Amino acid sequence: MAKKKTVFECCECGYKSAKWMGKCPACGSWESFIEIKEEKTSTKTSSTPSKVLKFDEIEKEEIEKFSSNDSELDLVLGGGIVPGSLVLIGGSPGVGKSTLMLKLAGNINKKVLYVAGEESPGQIKLRAQRLGIKNKNLFLMPEIVVENIIEEIKKGYDLVIIDSIQTIYSQEIQSAPGSVSQVREATFELMRIAKENKIPIFIIGHITKEGSIAGPRVLEHMVDTVLYFEGEASRELRILRAFKNRFGSTSEIGIFEMTKQGLVSAKNKNFFSKKALPGSAITVILEGSRPIVLEVQALVSESYGVPKRSVTGFDLPRLNMILALLEKKLNLPFNQYDVFVNVTGGIKINEPAADLAIIAAITSSFRNRPISKETVFLGEVSLVGDIRDVPGLEQRLKEAANLGFKKAIVPTKPLEEPLKCYEVKEVEKLIEWM
Ligand SMILES: Nc1ncnc2c1ncn2[C@@H]1O[C@H](COP(=O)(O)OP(=O)(O)O)[C@@H](O)[C@H]1O
Ligand SMILES: [Mg+2]
């Protein structure tokens, strides 16, 4: 037996209440409640209970992945696409989610259904042409009703793309498309069909201002894999990061570049210049299994007033710590200087291995003396000024050697030296070396 009941729901977080409220007690949003008619099913449903299995007798599920024919996407997915998996691609508008998915649809030799809820077929065709898409087995469905999409998926596809979840709605629910209950219901229906028919489904989701996909992470719990596509509209570099993955590690990243022909792998792109200028130093960061050689830049200039500190791609508290250390250990008067730090290429440094390079760049700018561009700097600095080892040192050094670097400043020499290594154990020694 079903009966209709009126409830109010917060469009930001999905909190439900019997009466309208000005402020949501769960997420604090103002005037976010809308009235919805909720179908209330009787609790006395007759479902047969699941059989309990003896753990020893359960057969292991073999996961067979197939390649997306895109090495960057495969890497982030953990080796390829898993049949029956639900993958969420999140990112801010304009970052390139539709481009990435259309490229996937065109790259694999399989029957693909692209559900377009946002753009017209003509617009998508234009983009497909620009990307040079040739898949003869690619089908486009301009549709926003989830029940109709499910019916179409049942006809047999190898892969389905939903662009985007915020435009899709279920006729069973009364709230507006994009609201938390709609997004949740549509995703649930898609999850069911994906598992039943063993079809991988990619769902595109826009990130709201607050950084979540349609409310607080409602989707992240439901799907198998969550990938975030990051990048600034003003820069070409895009990074695809796994946030959750039931079928692989979340430490790998994919690097792309947005070009006229769409997204291409930026694997062979260099994030440094070989010109020796004051304030520039080279380091190697490690993103998952991938070493990236990077240039860090610093500008130290005399301050008029309160000294400014500013960072792009680096952690501001960490910069403050490094400056305090340099002031204390080396008597450098940074309290009278503005310090700006920038990591090139739009990459963010999330590990302390780059500390030494940051110090080298700051000191080089302060003294207005360039550092030889044949050298890479690797090492974490501690609060007391000693320099600590970094994980994956040999792998980082190998990459630097491959790219033509000749010398490395490291905390401890590795067994094998792909390039000439100099040991530096304290900040003072680094400055002496320079
Ligand atoms: N003709 C073009 N040449 C080069 N880049 C383009 C062209 N048209 C669109 N783009 C790029 O594609 C981006 C839009 O990508 P899109 O896949 O629609 O993003 P999303 O689906 O994440 O909103 C734009 O920000 C722009 O950088
Ligand atoms: Mg789009």
Side-chain angles (χ1 to χ4, degrees):
M1 213 180 80
K3 79 172 184 237
K4 285 252 164 98
K5 189 185 149 204
T6 302
V7 288
F8 294 87
E9 185 189 81
C10 168
C11 351
E12 295 297 328
C13 73
Y15 181 86
K16 286 199 174 76
S17 153
K19 57 180 199 314
W20 190 87
M21 281 188 277
K23 186 184 178 189
C24 175
C27 69
S29 309
W30 288 94
E31 294 191 22
S32 59
F33 278 86
I34 51 164
E35 184 180 339
I36 55 169
K37 293 239 168 28
E38 202 177 53
E39 198 87 2
K40 203 176 174 222
T41 41
S42 163
T43 42
K44 280 183 197 156
T45 48
S46 57
S47 65
T48 43
S50 300
K51 215 176 101 196
V52 175
L53 306 166
K54 195 160 180 238
F55 205 78
D56 279 351
E57 289 160 10
I58 299 172
E59 274 185 48
K60 199 168 76 206
E61 210 172 291
E62 290 296 336
I63 299 174
E64 271 179 50
K65 298 174 182 172
F66 66 87
S67 172
S68 67
N69 291 339
D70 179 329
S71 56
E72 302 290 324
L73 187 57
D74 276 355
L75 185 69
V76 182
L77 285 171
I81 300 169
V82 178
S85 65
L86 203 58
V87 181
L88 176 67
I89 309 268
S92 36
V95 73
K97 301 179 295 295
S98 302
T99 309
L100 182 73
M101 286 297 104
L102 195 59
K103 193 180 149 213
L104 164 67
N107 263 352
I108 57 173
N109 274 327
K110 290 184 183 290
K111 195 173 169 194
V112 180
L113 179 67
Y114 193 107
V115 180
E118 286 188 357
E119 290 158 301
S120 70
Q123 270 174 313
I124 294 172
K125 177 84 189 183
L126 201 69
R127 180 185 290 139
Q129 232 161 26
R130 186 159 58 83
L131 305 180
I133 276 165
K134 293 194 186 72
N135 188 357
K136 291 266 183 292
N137 252 333
L138 173 56
F139 296 85
L140 190 83
M141 186 187 197
E143 179 63 73
I144 52 172
V145 177
V146 73
E147 286 79 14
N148 298 342
I149 296 169
I150 301 286
E151 280 314 304
E152 185 59 35
I153 295 175
K154 281 183 184 161
K155 291 181 188 164
Y157 289 90
D158 302 317
L159 185 114
V160 176
I161 293 162
I162 309 287
D163 189 0
S164 69
I165 194 68
Q166 275 103 343
T167 55
I168 308 294
Y169 77 96
S170 163
Q171 287 165 322
E172 309 279 309
I173 290 191
Q174 291 218 333
S175 50
S179 67
V180 175
S181 42
Q182 278 294 2
V183 165
R184 197 195 287 137
E185 175 66 20
T187 308
F188 183 72
E189 291 302 322
L190 292 167
M191 181 172 71
R192 232 174 20 197
I193 189 90
K195 303 288 165 209
E196 270 168 22
N197 297 19
K198 290 231 170 281
I199 304 170
I201 302 184
F202 283 76
I203 296 175
I204 292 177
H206 294 295
I207 292 186
T208 61
K209 277 199 301 290
E210 293 75 31
S212 60
I213 297 174
R217 330 233 126 161
V218 251
L219 293 186
E220 287 172 357
H221 296 294
M222 300 169 72
V223 300
D224 299 301
T225 302
V226 181
L227 308 181
Y228 279 110
F229 207 28
E230 305 165 354
E232 286 164 46
S234 58
R235 287 188 147 133
E236 294 82 41
L237 195 77
R238 301 283 186 276
I239 291 179
L240 189 65
R241 229 178 254 285
F243 176 77
K244 160 184 173 179
N245 194 354
R246 288 193 179 137
F247 311 107
S249 123
T250 52
S251 63
E252 302 291 353
I253 62 161
I255 312 178
F256 298 89
E257 220 180 331
M258 183 63 97
T259 67
K260 274 204 177 60
Q261 286 75 39
L263 289 158
V264 294
S265 168
K267 198 164 43 188
N268 299 319
K269 193 179 158 73
N270 284 344
F271 299 102
F272 56 85
S273 104
K274 283 255 173 168
K275 216 159 148 196
L277 290 171
S280 157
I282 308 281
T283 189
V284 191
I285 60 163
L286 207 54
E287 285 278 8
S289 63
R290 174 178 231 156
I292 304 170
V293 179
L294 274 186
E295 176 178 345
V296 295
Q297 299 171 338
L299 175 66
V300 179
S301 69
E302 220 169 305
S303 175
Y304 301 95
V306 184
K308 286 195 226 19
R309 275 92 179 86
S310 159
V311 285
T312 314
F314 193 70
D315 189 35
L316 186 60
R318 188 122 200 123
L319 172 67
N320 285 330
M321 186 277 267
I322 288 174
L323 290 176
L325 185 75
L326 292 178
E327 259 192 76
K328 181 140 187 156
K329 286 267 158 187
L330 308 168
N331 278 324
L332 297 176
F334 284 121
N335 55 346
Q336 295 155 32
Y337 287 84
D338 294 336
V339 180
F340 306 93
V341 166
N342 177 38
V343 178
T344 55
I347 290 189
K348 284 194 188 81
I349 295 181
N350 297 316
E351 51 165 359
D355 289 352
L356 212 55
I358 300 278
I359 293 181
I362 290 173
T363 326
S364 155
S365 172
F366 179 70
R367 296 178 172 175
N368 206 21
R369 256 190 258 156
I371 307 167
S372 133
K373 273 293 175 76
E374 297 196 313
T375 313
V376 295
F377 293 85
L378 286 164
E380 170 181 353
V381 212
S382 76
L383 279 179
V384 289
D386 57 343
I387 295 164
R388 309 242 162 117
D389 287 337
V390 299
L393 181 67
E394 286 188 36
Q395 201 187 346
R396 297 180 204 240
L397 292 176
K398 252 183 226 152
E399 179 72 8
N402 284 344
L403 291 174
F405 290 89
K406 300 276 185 284
K407 289 184 237 166
I409 309 299
V410 294
T412 317
K413 277 191 193 189
L415 292 175
E416 253 179 79
E417 289 182 37
L419 38 71
K420 185 84 192 105
C421 292
Y422 298 88
E423 256 180 37
V424 169
K425 296 245 182 247
E426 286 150 45
V427 173
E428 293 94 326
K429 291 278 178 317
L430 172 74
I431 308 300
E432 272 172 37
W433 185 88
M434 285 172 67

